[in-house]
Amino acid sequence: MPELPEVETVVRALAHEISGQTIERTQVRSAKLRTPISPALAKRIRGARIGNVTRRAKYILVGLDNGLTLLLHLGMSGVVRVFAEGDTVPPLDRHDHLKIKFSSGKTLVFRDPRRFGILALYPSETVADSKELSCLGPEPFAKDLTPPKFLQRLCLRRGAIKQVIMDQTLLVGVGNIYASEALFYAGIHPARPACEISAQEASALLAAIRKVLRAAIAAGGSTLRNYRRTDGEIGGFQDGFAVYDREGMPCPGCTCSLKKTGGVQKIVQGGRSSFYCPVRQG
DNA sequence: CTTTGGGCCTGGACGC
DNA sequence: TGCGTCCAGGCCCAAA
């Protein structure tokens, strides 16, 4: 799933659904995600009560009252489902990696068919220093990430702006979809070298990133394939893409002759598809 | 230091 | 129907 809006949607749901719940039973099935799941994980979270559920970048942090924090990453295909007491919980699938039964009768299931996700346990005090979180850049909504600071970071990079804003050490949360969307709203071609972005453009780009992420969060994220909300429903933002996966189609409010411009263009950068409007992002 | 390309996995869509 | 190929929202790592 997973760019920031999808993770944020899951985190908000989990904060509501499992905070305060006590873990009664745990089951770890497939032990091999991107990194192996610690064999002791299931046992070490058993009996604990869930505290705060928060997000850092695209990671979900589930605080426990035993001093530990469960770190969860959804990779490309991770889904977290929460079933209420009385719901029919499907039998454990071969792609279900973690199942938690709460004393309230609720059940949480983490599924990740492609196994690019992460499931790890750290002391809450030092989780920020973990190898997963320690090298991350600023949150896009951080107050102290000002346009000048953003510009300063871009100035150091010669690579294409699209790939640079997807670099989680520069700024977290932006993935392949929202990178294309934000560049469209900022009117910047995805192949422009980051260091050639003007102060005005950097400011517009930061605003566009924030606008797109905010709108996607409000819509409950985007579902292309695997992503699901914790209740199993799909997101709503996939219907609002301006350019992503819209090759040959008009961009919003387009007045061009499609025959002339060809509509939204697709190029490949770093092995990933980028979409842009050749007129507005010339 | 940055940048690039390959690799990790499975499943679905498509063409023959 | 079946098979091969390509593609997919993320991230790490080795090599240049």
Side-chain angles (χ1 to χ4, degrees), chain A residues 28-43:
Chain A
V28 171
R29 219 190 103 94
S30 162
K32 223 184 127 203
L33 289 181
R34 194 164 78 213
T35 55
I37 302 171
S38 158
L41 187 140
K43 193 178 164 198

Side-chain angles (χ1 to χ4, degrees), chain A residues 241-274:
Chain A
F241 293 156
V243 290
Y244 183 81
D245 205 18
R246 290 179 53 82
E247 185 179 15
M249 297 162 79
C251 60
C254 181
T255 54
C256 304
S257 154
L258 279 193
K259 248 190 203 162
K260 247 188 197 167
T261 67
V264 171
Q265 303 289 301
K266 172 181 166 177
I267 55 173
V268 175
Q269 300 178 280
R272 322 285 309 268
S273 296
S274 305

Side-chain angles (χ1 to χ4, degrees), chain A residues 194-225:
Chain A
C195 52
E196 291 177 13
I197 298 294
S198 70
Q200 196 174 15
E201 287 173 320
S203 180
L205 180 54
L206 182 58
I209 288 170
R210 288 171 169 166
K211 167 186 148 161
V212 164
L213 295 180
R214 229 186 286 274
I217 292 168
S222 307
T223 297
L224 267 64
R225 286 164 195 85

